[in-house]
Amino acid sequence: MSLPKSDLTKQADGRVTMQLGAVLPKTAEVRDGHLFIGGVDMVDLAHEQGTALYVFDEVDLRDRMEQYREAFHECYPNSEALYASKAFLNKEVLRIANEEGMFLDVSGGGELACARAVGFPMERVFVHGNNKTEHELREAIEAGVGRIVLDTRIELGRVSRIAGEMGKTQKVLMRITPGVEADTHEYIKTGCEDSKFGFTMLEDFAFNCVGDVLNVPNVELVGFHCHIGSQIFALHSFDEAVQVMVEFVARVRERYGIEVEDLDMGGGLGIAYTVDENPSSIREFAECTANAVRKYCAQYSVPEPRLLVEPGRSLVANAGVTLYTVGVMKTLPNIRKYVGIDGGMSDNIRTALYHADYEAVIANKADEPRVEIVTLCGKHCESGDAVVLDGSLQHPDLGDIVCVFGTGAYCYTMSSSYNGQPRPAIVFVRDGAARVVTRRETYEDLMARDI
Ligand code: LLP
């Protein structure tokens, strides 16, 4: 069965692809019925490397990093984009982020250790976390990180003491919760008032704490941070957050007499997980935040600070896909068809956790229409273990290679070895070549720490 012409589409650069819009990585194409990414046949790759397998389109990844850098530098020259490494972390993605001139957002000691291992310039690293341990703070200050983003007054005391012991002055930002309700999933909303993160603005707590930060030795307050949530489609939420933050900066200036160097607006730009989703572009996000900073700085008569953003998902999600092999199938008449794949909640917890949506295709039938509605279920001992719930797929057969799109963010970093499932390998593809950048976990790895 081959597709009616309209189901495949010719892109401006001549590639023939499925009509999956912004879900597809940049170099995806269909050749002789097979899905190719980075010039590599996903079916051959799955057979060579085994499945489940995470695959990243390196051109796509670098392109988005470049877009962030260029869009922000053009819209607001005094700006930097930090890669939020919680979205996807291994050494290679950090090497690439470094080569592409990104700054880096690390959350906790493990992410920092990875950055140090690849020689990421520490002055470009910002350290986050709502409960950084004494040990993590010590490592960060010792390493010479550019900024520590203070989350609490308790932490302020720790940073001051540790920096003092080391004879250093640590530059810090204060993380503020601006009370802006972003239009996103409740679990990944962070900026609103009822939040474990940051200094609340309620009862002017954050404002009063600015005085504490200024009065403490060995700490230099250089700016403010907020992060209003993730997978945000409504750009006006960022405009609103900028207004709250700039107004705050203006009050701080008036009361404490300090000029703020940095305004860090966090991450959160949404991406397309499904074909009908139409997120704002990186350029639109840059224009919106840059215009908002200029507009509100003029309105509140404060000098324009350096603008920082911390994208995670919008840099890596659509660059990554996961390949699986169909191992079993089960049809429940009038209920649903289960297609059993050799992975699941261990490599992608997002569906079980957030009921996330994904598009999937069969890589060896990429030119056929997706005529069935199936649930791609995982192999774990948990009923909620699925990667795609009631999604379209070509007619499946045992042994087919399934490709799930948009899995580049928050899948590998949130993976587990539940049921003793070794984590998949990670392969980067580019110009017809594939290279393993993280090898598959082995049974020995799973037991390596056991006595
Ligand atoms: N900066 C801070 C302080 C953050 O907490 C986050 C994400 C980011 C930047 C990056 O946000 P992004 O650009 O990726 O939206 N596990 C959830 C997402 C949690 C996001 C946590 N913080 C998911 O799988 O959807």
Side-chain angles (χ1 to χ4, degrees):
M1 189 170 15
S2 80
L3 257 189
K5 269 205 173 73
S6 61
D7 284 3
L8 286 180
T9 182
K10 199 161 185 167
Q11 304 287 344
D13 58 8
R15 281 172 307 127
V16 172
T17 71
M18 296 79 78
Q19 295 206 351
L20 285 176
V23 169
L24 294 175
K26 194 175 163 71
T27 69
E29 62 184 311
V30 177
R31 287 192 214 159
D32 301 327
H34 282 198
L35 171 66
F36 280 63
I37 300 176
V40 173
D41 185 334
M42 292 297 107
V43 182
D44 290 348
L45 185 66
H47 291 149
E48 277 160 31
Q49 294 294 333
T51 48
L53 189 68
Y54 295 116
V55 182
F56 281 80
D57 179 350
E58 187 175 338
V59 167
D60 184 296
L61 191 64
R62 287 185 185 268
D63 184 61
R64 285 172 206 264
M65 290 185 177
E66 245 172 74
Q67 281 185 51
Y68 259 103
R69 222 191 33 235
E70 282 172 15
F72 273 88
H73 283 170
E74 279 166 27
C75 295
Y76 195 99
N78 187 18
S79 65
E80 298 295 347
L82 289 73
Y83 171 50
S85 63
K86 72 202 75 182
F88 170 55
L89 178 75
N90 69 1
K91 289 183 179 175
E92 189 64 1
V93 74
L94 295 192
R95 287 187 198 107
I96 290 175
N98 187 19
E99 280 170 28
E100 295 294 333
M102 306 285 297
F103 279 43
L104 190 65
D105 151 356
V106 299
S107 194
E111 291 180 6
L112 178 62
C114 192
R116 294 179 77 175
V118 299
F120 204 100
M122 285 296 122
E123 64 279 5
R124 285 201 260 139
V125 173
F126 286 36
V127 181
H128 283 279
N130 72 306
N131 185 8
K132 308 171 196 76
T133 65
E134 169 94 13
H135 192 69
E136 288 173 322
L137 288 171
R138 212 165 264 287
E139 286 169 344
I141 297 168
E142 172 101 74
V145 297
R147 305 280 187 269
I148 289 181
V149 183
L150 288 180
D151 220 86
T152 59
R153 200 156 53 170
I154 298 168
E155 186 174 78
L156 169 66
R158 291 183 187 141
V159 172
S160 170
R161 173 174 46 78
I162 297 167
E165 284 165 19
M166 293 181 189
K168 293 188 172 204
T169 298
Q170 179 62 51
K171 291 191 174 183
V172 299
L173 306 183
M174 281 173 75
R175 178 168 181 167
I176 311 289
T177 38
V180 172
E181 286 275 338
D183 185 11
T184 184
H185 192 290
E186 195 177 339
Y187 296 168
I188 49 184
K189 240 186 225 180
T190 39
C192 59
E193 251 109 22
D194 183 4
S195 169
K196 70 169 181 172
F197 296 103
F199 292 82
T200 178
M201 293 182 94
L202 292 175
E203 297 173 12
D204 243 2
F205 181 75
F207 186 67
N208 292 325
C209 287
V210 172
D212 299 332
V213 181
L214 292 172
N215 283 331
V216 156
N218 318 314
V219 164
E220 183 189 350
L221 178 64
V222 291
F224 298 101
H225 169 278
C226 72
H227 172 77
I228 58 172
S230 200
Q231 185 59 0
I232 296 170
F233 277 68
L235 287 184
H236 65 83
S237 300
F238 293 105
D239 182 284
E240 286 162 33
V242 169
Q243 174 162 24
V244 173
M245 295 300 284
V246 172
E247 189 189 359
F248 186 81
V249 165
R251 286 181 62 214
V252 164
R253 182 170 187 245
E254 197 181 298
R255 158 94 169 265
Y256 300 103
I258 58 160
E259 302 283 327
V260 165
E261 225 174 279
D262 289 352
L263 179 61
D264 186 338
M265 294 306 299
L269 178 62
I271 62 113
Y273 281 108
T274 58
V275 63
D276 48 311
E277 278 174 324
N278 193 15
S280 304
S281 65
I282 291 169
R283 157 72 57 174
E284 286 163 336
F285 175 53
E287 282 169 2
C288 167
T289 44
N291 290 343
V293 173
R294 270 194 295 270
K295 173 175 68 177
Y296 295 118
C297 283
Q299 187 174 322
Y300 294 99
S301 305
V302 290
E304 288 171 9
R306 176 169 71 158
L307 170 62
L308 302 149
V309 286
E310 300 172 341
R313 189 191 317 267
S314 54
L315 280 174
V316 293
N318 293 119
V321 304
T322 314
L323 303 179
Y324 303 98
T325 305
V326 176
V328 291
M329 287 194 276
K330 171 176 177 173
T331 302
L332 296 171
N334 302 321
I335 302 181
R336 75 174 32 81
K337 180 167 183 171
Y338 285 102
V339 175
I341 51 175
D342 50 357
M345 64 190 297
S346 55
D347 59 77
N348 185 348
I349 188 80
R350 297 192 69 260
T351 307
L353 205 53
Y354 315 122
H355 273 220
D357 286 319
Y358 289 99
E359 300 284 357
V361 301
I362 294 179
N364 48 299
K365 298 174 180 167
D367 60 348
E368 295 181 18
R370 297 192 300 168
V371 288
E372 297 204 22
I373 299 293
V374 305
T375 285
L376 284 181
C377 65
K379 60 181 301 221
H380 299 286
C381 298
E382 178 100 16
S383 304
D385 170 31
V387 172
V388 178
L389 301 164
D390 298 327
S392 312
L393 196 68
Q394 289 87 347
H395 175 73
D397 289 296
L398 299 181
D400 278 345
I401 303 299
V402 172
C403 174
V404 177
F405 292 102
T407 60
Y410 303 111
C411 287
Y412 175 59
T413 48
M414 292 170 77
S415 65
S416 73
S417 56
Y418 181 42
N419 293 137
Q421 176 76 6
R423 286 176 181 75
I426 305 172
V427 177
F428 279 24
V429 290
R430 181 185 175 169
D431 299 332
R435 58 186 214 283
V436 176
V437 296
T438 300
R439 67 161 171 79
R440 186 176 297 282
E441 208 166 31
T442 63
Y443 294 147
E444 290 69 36
D445 291 331
L446 294 178
M447 293 175 273
R449 291 165 296 120
D450 296 348
I451 308 298

